[in-house]
């Protein structure tokens, strides 16, 4: 018989049903949470009267061909959940479908490298006896939740599991904001010391990352608040209150993102002003050089013509006269140019 540790290790990459990990939570059992595979999950879901207070959490890999088929066949989820998987809309939302909650939330990939493309979607179905999460790419918040469950943190109900997932996601986003803030601080220091070079492009990438995160996450607090006005009957008041608290954490993170976006925008404007100033300085130097070289070019062109009647051609001091004329015109042109600059 396989041990729970073996089951967890085998299901990490997804078993034959596409199940990445599964846990059975039963407060009345000797172990409040234990790993479960897809076959055991089928047997548990087939029970007519499951134990009071017990529920399942099943996390699936949507890239696995059998994942959706298994969910259709055994999970008895709302049609809204499967429609949500296929509608192509990835904006965050939470809605009620029959007696369950359907959520679409966005999170960063497990191997997150501060790129806008490192954001993916997690689909969730929450009922009184079953929680299903599904994703196409590994996400940090789910991995953090799975680690917490392994360490003995067993949510008492399916709603508490959703609340825990939302809080973990908020923590991940807080870390993202801190990471971006650290990078912005470094760029700002380089800007103040005049050592900013190719890293200017990183500001635009980080701003695009924050804009995409905020665009995808912004609907979540409002949607959850509206949902909690008329929660399902199985959702206890204590769980509803915890979900409200998780929503407030999201609101704080979104405000921090807005403030950080504004700071990045100001830095971009400062950099643009510095670039324009450097460009103006370069153009001024080029203009001055052109003006200073103009008299000698004109005289060289005139006196270099091979025609008769050229002035000072027979004068033994003609060269020095021309040099004096060129110097005089150059000094006058330089004075006019720098006086205009001042």
């Amino acid at each position: 018989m396989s041990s729970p540790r073996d089951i967890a290790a085998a299901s990490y990459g997804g078993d034959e049903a596409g199940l990445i990990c599964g846990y059975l939570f039963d407060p009345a059992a000797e172990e409040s949470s234990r790993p479960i595979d897809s076959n055991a999950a089928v047997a548990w879901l087939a029970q007519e009267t499951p134990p009071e207070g017990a529920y399942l959490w099943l996390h699936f890999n949507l890239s696995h061909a059998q994942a959706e088929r298994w969910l259709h066949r055994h999970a008895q989820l709302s049609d809204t959940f499967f429609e949500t998987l296929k509608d192509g809309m990835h904006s965050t939302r939470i809605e009620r479908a029959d007696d369950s909650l359907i959520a679409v939330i966005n999170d960063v990939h497990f191997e997150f490298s501060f790129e806008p493309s490192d954001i993916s979607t997690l689909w969730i179905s929450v009922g009184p006896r079953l929680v299903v999460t599904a994703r196409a790419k590994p996400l940090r918040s789910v991995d953090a939740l799975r680690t917490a469950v392994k360490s003995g943190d067993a949510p008492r109900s399916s709603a508490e599991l959703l609340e825990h997932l939302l809080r973990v996601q908020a923590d991940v986003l807080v870390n993202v904001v801190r990471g971006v803030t650290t990078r912005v601080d470094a760029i700002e220091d380089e800007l103040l010391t005049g050592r900013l070079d190719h890293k200017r492009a990183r500001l635009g990438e980080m701003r695009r990352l924050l804009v995409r995160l905020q665009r995808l996450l912004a609907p979540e607090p409002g949607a959850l608040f509206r949902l909690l006005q008329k929660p399902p009957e199985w959702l206890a008041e204590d769980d509803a209150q915890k979900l409200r608290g998780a929503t407030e954490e999201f609101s704080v993170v979104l405000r921090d993102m807005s403030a950080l976006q504004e700071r990045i925008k100001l830095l971009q404007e400062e950099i643009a002003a510095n670039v324009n100033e450097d460009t103006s300085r370069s153009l001024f130097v080029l203009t001055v050089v052109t003006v200073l070289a103009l008299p000698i070019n004109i005289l060289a062109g005139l006196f270099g013509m091979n025609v008769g009647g050229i002035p000072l051609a027979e004068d033994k001091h003609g060269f020095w006269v021309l040099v004096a004329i060129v110097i005089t015109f150059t000094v006058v042109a330089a004075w006019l140019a720098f006086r205009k600059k001042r």
Side-chain angles (χ1 to χ4, degrees), residues 177-194:
V177 172
R178 287 175 179 171
V180 174
T181 301
T182 300
R183 295 182 176 213
V184 171
D185 289 342
I187 293 176
E188 189 174 36
D189 291 340
E190 293 183 356
L191 175 63
L192 294 175
T193 56

Side-chain angles (χ1 to χ4, degrees), residues 92-96 101-103 162 166-167 217-232 235 237 239-255:
T92 297
R93 60 193 186 275
I94 300 179
E95 57 190 29
R96 180 175 176 179
L101 301 179
I102 306 299
L162 174 62
L166 294 178
R167 288 189 184 276
L217 294 172
E220 183 161 317
L224 189 54
F225 271 126
R226 287 192 298 271
L227 174 67
L228 293 177
Q229 298 301 318
K230 295 181 179 180
L235 186 63
E237 179 59 31
D239 290 333
Q241 189 61 36
K242 289 181 179 180
L243 287 174
R244 291 189 184 95
T247 302
E248 292 172 359
E249 289 187 17
F250 259 101
S251 300
V252 173
V253 175
L254 291 175
R255 286 196 294 270

